[in-house]
Amino acid sequence: MRVSMPHMGNIYIPFKALFQRLKIDFVMPPISNQRTLSLGARYSPEGLCIPFKMTLGNLIEAAELGANTLLMPGGNGICRLGYYTRIQEQILHELGYNVEIIQLGVSERKFAGLLEIIKRVSNDAPWLKIISAFRFGLAKLNALDAVERLVQKVRPVELVKGTANQIYAEAIRAIDKANEYNILKKVKKDYVSQLNQVPRNSQVKPLIVGITGEFYVLLEPFSSFDIERELGKMGVEVRRTTFISEWTKFSLFLNPLGINEKDKIHKAALPYLKRDIGGDGWESVGEKVLHAKEYDGLIHLAPFTCMPEIIAQNIMPSTREKIPVLSIICDEQIAKPGILTRLEAFVDLLERKRRAENKKRQRVTI
Ligand code: SF4
Protein backbone atom coordinates (compact mmCIF):
# COMPACT_ATOMS: atom_id res chain seq x y z
CA MET A 1 0.00 0.00 0.00
CA ARG A 2 1.52 3.33 -1.07
CA VAL A 3 -0.34 6.10 0.71
CA SER A 4 -0.68 9.74 -0.26
CA MET A 5 -2.90 12.73 0.37
CA PRO A 6 -3.47 16.22 -1.03
CA HIS A 7 -1.66 19.26 0.32
CA MET A 8 -3.11 22.01 2.45
CA GLY A 9 -0.42 24.31 3.77
CA ASN A 10 2.00 22.45 6.03
CA ILE A 11 -0.36 19.60 6.93
CA TYR A 12 1.90 17.13 5.10
CA ILE A 13 4.56 17.51 7.83
CA PRO A 14 2.57 16.05 10.76
CA PHE A 15 1.11 13.34 8.52
CA LYS A 16 4.56 12.46 7.18
CA ALA A 17 5.85 12.11 10.76
CA LEU A 18 2.89 9.94 11.70
CA PHE A 19 3.32 7.70 8.65
CA GLN A 20 7.08 7.39 9.17
CA ARG A 21 6.57 6.26 12.78
CA LEU A 22 4.09 3.63 11.62
CA LYS A 23 6.31 2.56 8.72
CA ILE A 24 3.61 3.44 6.18
CA ASP A 25 4.96 3.97 2.67
CA PHE A 26 4.07 7.64 2.16
CA VAL A 27 4.26 9.23 -1.29
CA MET A 28 4.42 12.98 -1.03
CA PRO A 29 3.11 14.83 -4.09
CA PRO A 30 5.04 17.97 -5.09
CA ILE A 31 4.14 21.06 -3.06
CA SER A 32 1.13 22.70 -4.77
CA ASN A 33 2.24 24.64 -7.82
CA GLN A 34 1.04 25.84 -11.20
CA ARG A 35 1.16 22.34 -12.71
CA THR A 36 -0.99 20.99 -9.85
CA LEU A 37 -3.63 23.62 -10.54
CA SER A 38 -3.46 23.16 -14.32
CA LEU A 39 -3.88 19.39 -13.99
CA GLY A 40 -6.78 19.77 -11.56
CA ALA A 41 -8.52 22.38 -13.69
CA ARG A 42 -8.07 20.32 -16.86
CA TYR A 43 -9.78 17.23 -15.46
CA SER A 44 -12.38 18.81 -13.15
CA PRO A 45 -16.02 19.20 -14.13
CA GLU A 46 -16.75 22.79 -15.02
CA GLY A 47 -17.84 25.04 -12.18
CA LEU A 48 -16.18 23.23 -9.32
CA CYS A 49 -14.31 25.16 -6.67
CA ILE A 50 -10.54 25.58 -6.35
CA PRO A 51 -10.24 23.13 -3.40
CA PHE A 52 -11.59 20.41 -5.70
CA LYS A 53 -9.24 21.34 -8.54
CA MET A 54 -6.13 21.71 -6.38
CA THR A 55 -6.71 18.49 -4.46
CA LEU A 56 -7.44 16.63 -7.70
CA GLY A 57 -4.16 17.98 -9.11
CA ASN A 58 -2.33 16.77 -5.97
CA LEU A 59 -3.94 13.32 -6.24
CA ILE A 60 -3.01 12.97 -9.91
CA GLU A 61 0.59 13.95 -9.11
CA ALA A 62 0.62 11.43 -6.25
CA ALA A 63 -0.73 8.70 -8.55
CA GLU A 64 1.96 9.56 -11.12
CA LEU A 65 4.53 8.89 -8.38
CA GLY A 66 3.02 5.47 -7.70
CA ALA A 67 0.60 6.10 -4.82
CA ASN A 68 -2.36 3.71 -4.85
CA THR A 69 -4.20 4.59 -1.62
CA LEU A 70 -5.21 8.22 -1.40
CA LEU A 71 -6.61 9.91 1.70
CA MET A 72 -8.97 12.74 0.92
CA PRO A 73 -10.83 14.90 3.46
CA GLY A 74 -14.59 14.87 3.13
CA GLY A 75 -17.56 15.58 5.31
CA ASN A 76 -21.28 15.44 5.77
CA GLY A 77 -21.76 19.20 5.88
CA ILE A 78 -24.05 21.19 3.62
CA CYS A 79 -21.46 21.98 0.93
CA ARG A 80 -20.65 19.62 -1.93
CA LEU A 81 -17.29 18.59 -0.43
CA GLY A 82 -18.97 15.37 0.69
CA TYR A 83 -19.22 14.24 -2.96
CA TYR A 84 -15.67 15.08 -3.95
CA THR A 85 -14.01 11.78 -3.03
CA ARG A 86 -16.18 9.66 -5.30
CA ILE A 87 -15.94 12.09 -8.23
CA GLN A 88 -12.17 12.36 -7.90
CA GLU A 89 -11.84 8.58 -7.69
CA GLN A 90 -13.87 8.22 -10.89
CA ILE A 91 -11.72 10.82 -12.68
CA LEU A 92 -8.52 9.06 -11.61
CA HIS A 93 -9.89 5.70 -12.81
CA GLU A 94 -10.82 7.23 -16.15
CA LEU A 95 -7.27 8.55 -16.42
CA GLY A 96 -6.04 4.99 -15.96
CA TYR A 97 -4.80 5.11 -12.37
CA ASN A 98 -5.65 2.08 -10.29
CA VAL A 99 -6.18 3.88 -7.00
CA GLU A 100 -8.53 3.77 -4.06
CA ILE A 101 -9.57 6.99 -2.33
CA ILE A 102 -10.39 6.74 1.35
CA GLN A 103 -12.49 9.60 2.64
CA LEU A 104 -11.27 11.17 5.86
CA GLY A 105 -14.73 11.90 7.22
CA VAL A 106 -13.48 13.50 10.40
CA SER A 107 -16.59 15.60 10.83
CA GLU A 108 -18.70 12.48 11.40
CA ARG A 109 -16.50 10.03 13.32
CA LYS A 110 -14.07 12.59 14.78
CA PHE A 111 -10.95 11.20 16.44
CA ALA A 112 -12.13 7.59 16.39
CA GLY A 113 -12.80 7.70 12.64
CA LEU A 114 -9.37 9.12 11.89
CA LEU A 115 -7.63 6.52 14.06
CA GLU A 116 -9.55 3.69 12.37
CA ILE A 117 -8.35 4.87 8.95
CA ILE A 118 -4.78 5.13 10.21
CA LYS A 119 -5.09 1.60 11.59
CA ARG A 120 -6.27 0.38 8.21
CA VAL A 121 -3.48 2.00 6.18
CA SER A 122 -0.84 0.97 8.74
CA ASN A 123 -1.67 -2.70 8.21
CA ASP A 124 -3.24 -3.08 11.61
CA ALA A 125 -0.50 -1.49 13.72
CA PRO A 126 -1.06 -1.76 17.51
CA TRP A 127 -3.28 0.99 18.96
CA LEU A 128 -0.62 2.21 21.36
CA LYS A 129 1.80 2.75 18.51
CA ILE A 130 -0.87 4.57 16.47
CA ILE A 131 -1.74 6.90 19.35
CA SER A 132 1.91 7.62 20.06
CA ALA A 133 2.58 8.40 16.36
CA PHE A 134 -0.52 10.59 16.24
CA ARG A 135 0.66 12.54 19.29
CA PHE A 136 4.02 13.17 17.66
CA GLY A 137 2.30 14.44 14.51
CA LEU A 138 0.19 16.73 16.67
CA ALA A 139 3.28 18.10 18.39
CA LYS A 140 4.72 18.98 14.97
CA LEU A 141 1.46 20.63 13.96
CA ASN A 142 1.46 22.78 17.11
CA ALA A 143 5.08 23.78 16.56
CA LEU A 144 4.39 24.78 12.95
CA ASP A 145 1.42 26.93 13.88
CA ALA A 146 3.22 28.57 16.81
CA VAL A 147 6.03 29.66 14.49
CA GLU A 148 3.60 30.81 11.81
CA ARG A 149 1.65 32.99 14.26
CA LEU A 150 4.87 34.72 15.22
CA VAL A 151 5.91 35.19 11.59
CA GLN A 152 2.62 37.01 10.95
CA LYS A 153 3.58 39.52 13.65
CA VAL A 154 7.20 40.00 12.57
CA ARG A 155 6.72 40.38 8.79
CA PRO A 156 5.17 43.87 8.85
CA VAL A 157 7.70 45.42 11.23
CA GLU A 158 10.99 43.76 10.31
CA LEU A 159 13.72 46.17 9.24
CA VAL A 160 15.08 43.93 6.49
CA LYS A 161 12.17 42.70 4.40
CA GLY A 162 12.11 38.96 3.90
CA THR A 163 13.98 38.04 7.13
CA ALA A 164 10.94 36.46 8.81
CA ASN A 165 10.06 34.50 5.67
CA GLN A 166 13.58 33.14 5.46
CA ILE A 167 13.55 32.03 9.10
CA TYR A 168 10.09 30.56 8.59
CA ALA A 169 11.25 28.49 5.61
CA GLU A 170 14.19 27.15 7.67
CA ALA A 171 11.88 26.44 10.62
CA ILE A 172 9.52 24.41 8.41
CA ARG A 173 12.43 22.30 7.15
CA ALA A 174 13.80 21.79 10.67
CA ILE A 175 10.41 20.84 12.12
CA ASP A 176 9.92 18.42 9.24
CA LYS A 177 13.33 16.84 9.94
CA ALA A 178 12.97 16.58 13.74
CA ASN A 179 12.44 12.93 14.58
CA GLU A 180 12.28 13.06 18.38
CA TYR A 181 10.30 15.14 20.89
CA ASN A 182 13.39 16.72 22.43
CA ILE A 183 14.73 17.76 19.00
CA LEU A 184 11.35 19.17 18.04
CA LYS A 185 11.12 21.12 21.29
CA LYS A 186 14.59 22.56 20.75
CA VAL A 187 13.88 23.45 17.11
CA LYS A 188 10.68 25.27 18.07
CA LYS A 189 12.40 27.19 20.87
CA ASP A 190 15.31 28.08 18.63
CA TYR A 191 13.19 29.48 15.78
CA VAL A 192 10.82 31.33 18.10
CA SER A 193 13.85 32.98 19.64
CA GLN A 194 15.33 33.82 16.20
CA LEU A 195 12.05 35.44 15.19
CA ASN A 196 11.87 37.38 18.43
CA GLN A 197 15.34 38.74 17.76
CA VAL A 198 14.61 40.00 14.23
CA PRO A 199 15.39 43.76 14.24
CA ARG A 200 12.11 45.66 14.08
CA ASN A 201 11.00 49.16 13.35
CA SER A 202 9.53 50.20 16.68
CA GLN A 203 8.14 53.45 15.21
CA VAL A 204 5.53 51.81 12.99
CA LYS A 205 2.12 50.76 14.16
CA PRO A 206 1.11 48.33 11.42
CA LEU A 207 -2.36 48.14 9.97
CA ILE A 208 -4.23 45.10 11.23
CA VAL A 209 -6.06 43.15 8.55
CA GLY A 210 -8.11 40.06 9.36
CA ILE A 211 -8.32 37.21 6.89
CA THR A 212 -11.46 35.15 6.79
CA GLY A 213 -13.25 32.91 4.33
CA GLU A 214 -13.24 29.32 3.18
CA PHE A 215 -11.10 26.89 5.17
CA TYR A 216 -8.99 25.46 2.33
CA VAL A 217 -8.04 28.75 0.67
CA LEU A 218 -7.23 30.23 4.07
CA LEU A 219 -4.74 27.47 4.72
CA GLU A 220 -3.29 26.69 1.27
CA PRO A 221 -1.22 29.75 0.31
CA PHE A 222 -0.83 28.75 -3.35
CA SER A 223 -4.59 28.84 -3.87
CA SER A 224 -4.92 32.33 -2.37
CA PHE A 225 -1.97 33.99 -4.12
CA ASP A 226 0.14 33.92 -0.96
CA ILE A 227 -1.59 37.07 0.17
CA GLU A 228 -0.40 36.85 3.78
CA ARG A 229 3.22 37.24 2.65
CA GLU A 230 2.26 39.98 0.23
CA LEU A 231 0.44 41.91 2.96
CA GLY A 232 3.45 41.43 5.24
CA LYS A 233 5.67 43.01 2.58
CA MET A 234 3.29 45.97 2.49
CA GLY A 235 3.71 46.40 6.26
CA VAL A 236 0.35 44.91 7.24
CA GLU A 237 -0.13 42.58 10.21
CA VAL A 238 -2.39 39.69 9.28
CA ARG A 239 -4.77 38.15 11.81
CA ARG A 240 -6.24 34.78 10.99
CA THR A 241 -8.21 32.74 13.48
CA THR A 242 -8.18 29.54 11.39
CA PHE A 243 -5.20 27.29 12.10
CA ILE A 244 -5.10 23.53 11.59
CA SER A 245 -3.86 22.94 15.15
CA GLU A 246 -6.88 24.86 16.54
CA TRP A 247 -9.23 23.04 14.22
CA THR A 248 -7.78 19.68 15.27
CA LYS A 249 -7.99 20.52 18.96
CA PHE A 250 -11.66 21.42 18.77
CA SER A 251 -12.88 19.21 15.98
CA LEU A 252 -11.27 15.99 17.17
CA PHE A 253 -11.18 16.44 20.92
CA LEU A 254 -13.33 19.26 22.31
CA ASN A 255 -16.38 19.28 20.00
CA PRO A 256 -17.28 15.69 20.94
CA LEU A 257 -17.30 16.88 24.59
CA GLY A 258 -19.81 19.59 23.72
CA ILE A 259 -17.33 22.49 23.63
CA ASN A 260 -17.90 24.47 20.45
CA GLU A 261 -15.35 27.16 19.68
CA LYS A 262 -17.65 28.58 17.01
CA ASP A 263 -20.54 29.45 19.35
CA LYS A 264 -19.29 33.00 19.83
CA ILE A 265 -18.81 33.62 16.14
CA HIS A 266 -22.19 32.12 15.22
CA LYS A 267 -23.87 34.29 17.85
CA ALA A 268 -22.20 37.36 16.33
CA ALA A 269 -23.53 36.41 12.87
CA LEU A 270 -27.09 35.65 14.09
CA PRO A 271 -28.68 39.07 13.42
CA TYR A 272 -27.74 38.67 9.76
CA LEU A 273 -27.64 34.95 9.17
CA LYS A 274 -29.64 32.54 11.28
CA ARG A 275 -28.27 29.17 10.22
CA ASP A 276 -25.38 27.21 8.86
CA ILE A 277 -25.19 27.64 5.09
CA GLY A 278 -22.42 25.11 4.57
CA GLY A 279 -18.66 25.49 4.28
CA ASP A 280 -17.51 28.46 6.33
CA GLY A 281 -20.04 31.08 5.21
CA TRP A 282 -21.62 31.52 8.65
CA GLU A 283 -18.20 32.02 10.22
CA SER A 284 -17.16 34.56 7.57
CA VAL A 285 -20.12 36.79 8.46
CA GLY A 286 -19.50 36.28 12.20
CA GLU A 287 -15.81 37.20 11.85
CA LYS A 288 -16.71 40.53 10.28
CA VAL A 289 -19.16 41.37 13.05
CA LEU A 290 -16.92 40.13 15.85
CA HIS A 291 -13.70 41.85 14.79
CA ALA A 292 -15.02 45.07 13.22
CA LYS A 293 -13.61 47.18 16.05
CA GLU A 294 -10.34 45.30 16.34
CA TYR A 295 -9.16 45.24 12.69
CA ASP A 296 -8.52 48.08 10.26
CA GLY A 297 -9.89 45.96 7.42
CA LEU A 298 -10.93 42.46 6.49
CA ILE A 299 -10.01 40.29 3.53
CA HIS A 300 -12.60 37.71 2.57
CA LEU A 301 -11.25 34.77 0.58
CA ALA A 302 -13.94 33.05 -1.45
CA PRO A 303 -13.38 30.28 -3.99
CA PHE A 304 -15.15 30.93 -7.30
CA THR A 305 -18.56 29.15 -7.35
CA CYS A 306 -18.49 28.46 -3.59
CA MET A 307 -22.12 29.03 -2.61
CA PRO A 308 -21.53 29.47 1.17
CA GLU A 309 -18.98 32.24 0.59
CA ILE A 310 -21.10 33.88 -2.12
CA ILE A 311 -23.92 34.16 0.43
CA ALA A 312 -21.52 35.53 3.05
CA GLN A 313 -20.09 38.03 0.57
CA ASN A 314 -23.57 39.37 -0.14
CA ILE A 315 -24.52 39.68 3.53
CA MET A 316 -21.34 41.42 4.68
CA PRO A 317 -22.09 44.93 3.28
CA SER A 318 -25.38 45.09 5.20
CA THR A 319 -24.06 44.50 8.74
CA ARG A 320 -24.21 47.41 11.20
CA GLU A 321 -20.61 46.74 12.18
CA LYS A 322 -18.71 48.70 9.55
CA ILE A 323 -15.21 47.80 8.43
CA PRO A 324 -13.74 47.84 4.90
CA VAL A 325 -13.91 44.38 3.34
CA LEU A 326 -12.02 43.23 0.28
CA SER A 327 -13.43 40.04 -1.24
CA ILE A 328 -10.96 38.02 -3.25
CA ILE A 329 -12.25 35.28 -5.49
CA CYS A 330 -9.79 32.40 -5.77
CA ASP A 331 -9.71 30.53 -9.05
CA GLU A 332 -7.29 29.47 -11.76
CA GLN A 333 -8.64 32.22 -14.03
CA ILE A 334 -7.46 34.98 -11.68
CA ALA A 335 -3.91 36.29 -12.11
CA LYS A 336 -1.74 37.30 -9.17
CA PRO A 337 -0.65 40.73 -10.55
CA GLY A 338 -4.30 41.83 -10.55
CA ILE A 339 -4.68 40.68 -6.94
CA LEU A 340 -1.56 42.62 -5.90
CA THR A 341 -2.94 45.81 -7.44
CA ARG A 342 -6.18 45.35 -5.50
CA LEU A 343 -4.28 44.65 -2.28
CA GLU A 344 -2.19 47.82 -2.72
CA ALA A 345 -5.32 49.89 -3.32
CA PHE A 346 -6.98 48.34 -0.26
CA VAL A 347 -3.98 49.02 1.98
CA ASP A 348 -3.84 52.58 0.65
CA LEU A 349 -7.51 53.04 1.54
CA LEU A 350 -6.95 51.69 5.06
CA GLU A 351 -3.96 53.98 5.60
CA ARG A 352 -5.95 57.02 4.53
CA LYS A 353 -8.83 55.95 6.76
CA ARG A 354 -6.50 55.60 9.73
CA ARG A 355 -4.91 59.01 9.07
CA ALA A 356 -8.36 60.61 8.89
CA GLU A 357 -9.41 58.94 12.15
CA ASN A 358 -6.21 60.09 13.88
CA LYS A 359 -6.79 63.69 12.75
CA LYS A 360 -10.36 63.54 14.00
CA ARG A 361 -9.19 62.23 17.36
CA GLN A 362 -6.58 65.00 17.63
CA ARG A 363 -9.22 67.67 16.90
CA VAL A 364 -11.46 66.25 19.64
CA THR A 365 -8.67 66.33 22.24
CA ILE A 366 -7.70 69.96 21.32
S1 SF4 B 1 -17.02 25.30 1.11
FE1 SF4 B 1 -17.05 26.08 -0.98
S2 SF4 B 1 -14.93 26.01 -1.68
FE2 SF4 B 1 -15.08 24.71 0.12
S3 SF4 B 1 -15.43 22.70 -0.70
FE3 SF4 B 1 -17.44 23.58 -0.26
S4 SF4 B 1 -18.08 24.53 -2.20
FE4 SF4 B 1 -15.88 24.12 -2.34
Side-chain angles (χ1 to χ4, degrees), residues 106-107 145 215 219 241-253 255 261-262:
V106 280
S107 51
D145 283 356
F215 193 79
L219 295 170
T241 51
T242 305
F243 279 85
I244 308 181
S245 54
E246 280 295 298
W247 179 87
T248 310
K249 183 172 83 188
F250 281 97
S251 200
L252 297 187
F253 305 113
N255 292 168
E261 80 285 15
K262 292 185 177 164

Side-chain angles (χ1 to χ4, degrees), residues 122-224:
S122 66
N123 244 335
D124 224 9
W127 281 115
L128 265 180
K129 219 173 156 193
I130 291 174
I131 289 171
S132 148
F134 189 84
R135 278 190 57 222
F136 188 58
L138 222 48
K140 287 206 174 195
L141 182 59
N142 290 332
L144 285 162
D145 283 356
V147 175
E148 191 181 359
R149 279 178 209 273
L150 192 50
V151 170
Q152 288 177 335
K153 295 217 172 300
V154 179
R155 272 185 195 134
V157 289
E158 64 192 359
L159 280 178
V160 181
K161 287 288 166 207
T163 313
N165 285 344
Q166 200 184 326
I167 298 174
Y168 183 42
E170 285 168 20
I172 291 175
R173 279 196 293 275
I175 292 173
D176 186 20
K177 251 175 85 185
N179 54 4
E180 292 298 337
Y181 276 105
N182 53 353
I183 301 174
L184 180 61
K185 209 171 151 194
K186 193 178 163 300
V187 163
K188 181 182 162 193
K189 200 172 156 206
D190 183 26
Y191 282 98
V192 165
S193 140
Q194 282 192 45
L195 283 165
N196 281 328
Q197 284 168 31
V198 170
R200 304 175 192 208
N201 185 348
S202 52
Q203 307 295 317
V204 289
K205 197 171 166 267
L207 289 168
I208 311 284
V209 170
I211 308 252
T212 189
E214 196 266 346
F215 193 79
Y216 177 88
V217 287
L218 281 178
L219 295 170
E220 174 50 60
F222 182 80
S223 69
S224 52

Side-chain angles (χ1 to χ4, degrees), residues 263-276 282 285-290 315-316 318-321:
D263 280 351
K264 200 172 159 199
I265 208 152
H266 292 160
K267 204 170 153 208
L270 268 185
Y272 313 102
L273 186 58
K274 302 230 175 299
R275 53 164 288 225
D276 184 11
W282 207 9
V285 175
E287 286 243 17
K288 185 196 169 192
V289 175
L290 208 56
I315 291 174
M316 280 188 188
S318 59
T319 67
R320 274 187 304 274
E321 296 75 7

Side-chain angles (χ1 to χ4, degrees), residues 49 51 79-81 84 214 279-280 303 305-308:
C49 54
C79 106
R80 53 196 172 173
L81 176 71
Y84 284 2
E214 196 266 346
D280 307 283
T305 74
C306 170
M307 189 55 84

